[in-house]
Amino acid sequence: MDVFSRTFLPAAAETGLAGQTVSRHMPIFRQCVGSGDATILVARCGRPDRPVAGEYLLLLTHRRMVVTQQTRVLHRLRLHLNTELRELSNVTWSPDPRSQSVDLAATAIDGVRERFVIHTQHPKQVWQLDTLLNHAFRTRLRTPKERVVATIGEAPTTAGGPVLRPVPAR
């Protein structure tokens, strides 16, 4: 059993997803996520700007975010979003324990702002979601700092030797 399979089922069970729902969405997730990628979160979510569009299922791994949609009338599945986490920008989330939900928003690489609301069963799960999202987007994806390479200056200005000046690496 690969890493994705070992971590997907416990993550889905943790959020209370039915086995039938998980098995219906699994083929789409399998096409998008590599076998060595560990699952962080699997959760049912909705889009506040399109409440009648159907149900969405969000999968968050250490490398990717995949969202599938199930239409309301015919219950057809389709891929809504499949992107690497590093391609997402302006990722924000706001936990709301009173409504037992987390509002997650991110801008995809094509410039479209995606917004999802993840509802939880208990207020305690709101803070667990907050911790998982913090781990996925803040601790793992730090902004790349400019790497500094020291170069020897032309003329020494101190008696101690050459002056080292930082120059951005290319």
Side-chain angles (χ1 to χ4, degrees):
M1 186 180 271
D2 61 358
V3 174
F4 176 70
S5 297
R6 276 196 322 262
T7 56
F8 180 79
L9 294 175
E14 194 173 304
T15 56
L17 288 174
Q20 184 181 6
T21 302
V22 170
S23 62
R24 285 201 68 211
H25 291 261
M26 183 60 100
I28 296 174
F29 290 146
R30 273 270 177 219
Q31 292 174 356
C32 300
V33 178
S35 61
D37 205 1
T39 303
I40 297 173
L41 172 69
V42 182
R44 193 179 304 265
C45 60
R47 297 195 59 198
D49 54 339
R50 297 182 183 190
V52 294
E55 294 182 352
Y56 293 83
L57 196 64
L58 179 136
L59 168 68
L60 187 66
T61 70
H62 288 292
R63 294 185 195 122
R64 302 193 76 76
M65 184 165 123
V66 181
V67 180
T68 57
Q69 177 188 13
Q70 180 175 329
T71 60
R72 284 195 187 269
V73 178
L74 299 176
H75 301 288
R76 289 191 177 150
L77 293 178
R78 73 175 190 89
L79 182 63
H80 176 74
L81 178 68
N82 177 19
T83 185
E84 290 189 24
L85 296 184
R86 62 188 170 101
E87 293 175 346
L88 293 171
S89 63
N90 196 18
V91 179
T92 59
W93 64 91
S94 55
D96 186 3
R98 287 180 293 173
S99 68
Q100 297 180 6
S101 66
V102 176
D103 190 358
L104 172 67
T107 303
I109 197 166
D110 59 359
V112 175
R113 184 79 175 156
E114 299 285 351
R115 187 170 163 228
F116 302 99
V117 176
I118 305 168
H119 293 283
T120 62
Q121 296 172 350
H122 307 288
K124 182 180 171 184
Q125 288 178 320
V126 170
W127 300 116
Q128 290 173 340
L129 269 176
D130 181 50
T131 302
L132 290 173
L133 294 172
N134 187 41
H135 175 70
F137 291 109
R138 291 212 175 110
T139 26
R140 296 187 57 81
L141 295 176
R142 294 193 176 109
T143 57
K145 296 179 182 173
E146 188 173 76
R147 199 174 68 169
V148 177
V149 177
T151 60
I152 299 176
E154 299 161 0
T157 58
T158 62
V163 176
L164 299 176
R165 295 187 184 122
V167 175
R170 295 185 183 150

